[in-house]
Amino acid sequence: MRLILLGPPGAGKGTQAARLVEKYRIAHLSTGDMLRAAIAAETPIGLKAKDIMASGALVPDEVVVGIIADRIEQGDCANGFILDGFPRTVPQAEALDALLKQKKLKLDAVVQLLVNEAILLQRVENRIAQMKERGEAIRADDNVDALAKRLEVYRGQTEPLVHYYGDRRMLATVDGMKSIDEVTAEIGRILAAAAAPAPAKPKKPAKPKAKPAEPRPAKKASPAAKKAKKTAKRPKSVKSAKKAGKPAPKAAKAGGKGLKKAAKKTAKKTVKTRAKGRKRLTKRR
Ligand code: AMP
C-alpha cells in the first residue's frame, strides 16, 4: 500500500498516518519529521533547512526529493509507505512520479483531508497552549505567525496538487473536521476500494471475419497496348528460369516491368506500321 496524505498543517495527517502504519504495517515518511531530525543532528541539510522551516516557508524541492528518493529505497518501505507532507509542490509530485516509475511502483491513493481553516487555526492555537502547559517542547514553526505563513504557502503551492491528482483520478477527499475515528474509518474504506481488483472490462463483441478482398477492376488499356500485350513475348529469362526450376527474376515475378517494356516496344512498332500503311494508302489514292 502506497499513499499520500494531503492537507494543510494541523489537518491531522500525522495522527491518521500513525494509525495507518499500525494497520497496514507500512512506513510513515514525514518530510517534516526527517527535516527536524536533520536539524537536530546538525547535518548540512538540517543547517540549510533550519531558518526556512522556522519561517514557515518551503525547503527547496531538490532537497526533499533527494530525501524521499533515499528513504523509499530502505527495507521498511518494501511493504509500502505513507507520504505525509510530501509532495508539497507540483514539481515534487512530478519528481515522485518519475521516481516511482523508475522503480516500477505505483501509488494506490491520494487522500485529501478537507478542513475549515478558521477552525484549524483555533485547533492549533489550543494545541500549542496545551503543550506549553505540559511543559513540552514546541516546534519552532508552532506559532500563530508561522502557522499563518504555512497556510498561505499551502494554498499557493500545495493545493494545486488537488487538481494534479484529481486529473489523474487518484484523489479521494475526506471530511477532516469529523472525529479522528470517523476520519480513520473513511480512509480505511477508501484504501479498501483502492486495493480491490478493478472490475473486469466487458468483452468486446468478436469482429466479423474480414471479407476476402474483391479483385480490383482492371485498368482499361488502350487498344494499342492490348495488342502489344498479346503479341509481347515473355522475356527469355523468365522462360529459362522456369525450365531450370529456379524462381523467376524479380521484374518478371512482379509481373510487370519486363513485360511492360516489351509491350511498350511492340506498341510503338504497331503505331509506326499503321502510320506507314496509311501513307501508302494515301499515295495510291
Ligand atoms: P510539516 O511537519 O510537514 O508541517 O513540515 C514542517 C516544515 O518542513 C514545512 O513548513 C517546510 O518548511 C518543511 N517541509 C516539510 N516537508 C516539505 C516538503 N515536502 N517540501 C518543502 N518543505 C517541506
Side-chain angles (χ1 to χ4, degrees):
M1 175 69 61
R2 284 173 288 270
L3 73 138
I4 294 175
L5 282 181
L6 201 63
K13 299 188 298 290
T15 308
Q16 294 301 331
R19 290 178 164 211
L20 293 166
V21 163
E22 282 281 306
K23 187 171 173 188
Y24 295 98
R25 302 268 155 220
I26 51 181
H28 176 196
L29 310 187
S30 154
T31 36
D33 284 350
M34 292 182 229
L35 288 167
R36 280 184 286 277
I39 293 174
E42 297 183 342
T43 66
I45 285 181
L47 295 174
K48 199 173 175 181
K50 193 175 178 183
D51 293 339
I52 302 174
M53 283 176 73
S55 74
L58 292 185
V59 168
D61 288 337
E62 61 274 16
V63 172
V64 278
V65 168
I67 292 177
I68 288 294
D70 288 344
R71 188 62 185 84
I72 62 176
E73 287 284 340
Q74 291 172 22
D76 62 338
C77 291
N79 206 24
F81 48 77
I82 304 173
L83 291 168
D84 163 9
F86 181 91
R88 254 174 156 105
T89 64
V90 171
Q92 287 181 25
E94 288 168 346
L96 176 67
D97 280 347
L99 211 65
L100 294 177
K101 195 175 171 192
Q102 185 197 331
K103 296 184 191 307
K104 295 190 171 62
L105 299 174
K106 71 177 237 332
L107 275 177
D108 294 290
V110 178
V111 179
Q112 179 198 14
L113 299 180
L114 210 61
V115 290
N116 174 318
E117 275 193 19
I119 300 176
L120 191 77
L121 263 173
Q122 194 58 54
R123 260 195 201 173
V124 176
E125 280 178 23
N126 291 347
R127 198 187 70 207
I128 296 170
Q130 284 166 5
M131 285 172 80
K132 272 186 184 164
E133 261 179 36
R134 291 195 296 264
E136 287 172 13
I138 290 167
R139 277 167 51 170
D141 56 355
D142 253 353
N143 57 69
V144 178
D145 286 345
L147 186 66
K149 170 80 180 165
R150 285 160 69 200
L151 282 173
E152 185 195 311
V153 168
Y154 181 80
R155 264 182 257 121
Q157 302 201 52
T158 310
E159 233 164 35
L161 294 181
V162 170
H163 299 291
Y164 185 89
Y165 289 114
D167 287 349
R168 286 160 180 73
R169 299 182 172 280
M170 298 185 73
L171 190 80
T173 300
V174 174
D175 180 358
M177 303 313 289
K178 286 189 173 167
S179 74
I180 293 175
D181 284 346
E182 281 173 315
V183 173
T184 307
E186 187 56 33
I187 296 177
R189 279 192 285 274
I190 290 167
L191 297 183
K201 278 186 191 168
K203 271 190 181 171
K204 276 188 192 169
K207 267 190 186 174
K209 272 187 184 169
K211 273 187 194 172
E214 280 185 18
R216 273 200 224 159
K219 272 187 193 169
K220 267 196 175 175
S222 68
K226 267 184 189 171
K227 200 171 177 190
K229 233 181 187 178
K230 259 188 195 174
T231 44
K233 278 184 183 173
R234 294 187 113 201
K236 259 187 181 174
S237 53
V238 180
K239 275 186 178 174
S240 49
K242 260 199 162 181
K243 255 187 192 173
K246 282 181 199 162
K250 232 187 180 181
K253 218 180 163 186
K257 277 183 192 167
L259 283 173
K260 269 184 195 163
K261 252 189 184 172
K264 258 188 190 171
K265 246 187 177 175
T266 329
K268 259 188 190 170
K269 255 189 185 173
T270 326
V271 173
K272 266 186 190 170
T273 337
R274 275 191 183 168
K276 267 186 191 170
R278 249 182 267 133
K279 247 185 188 177
R280 252 184 261 137
L281 271 175
T282 31
K283 262 187 186 175
R284 266 185 220 163
R285 273 181 214 154

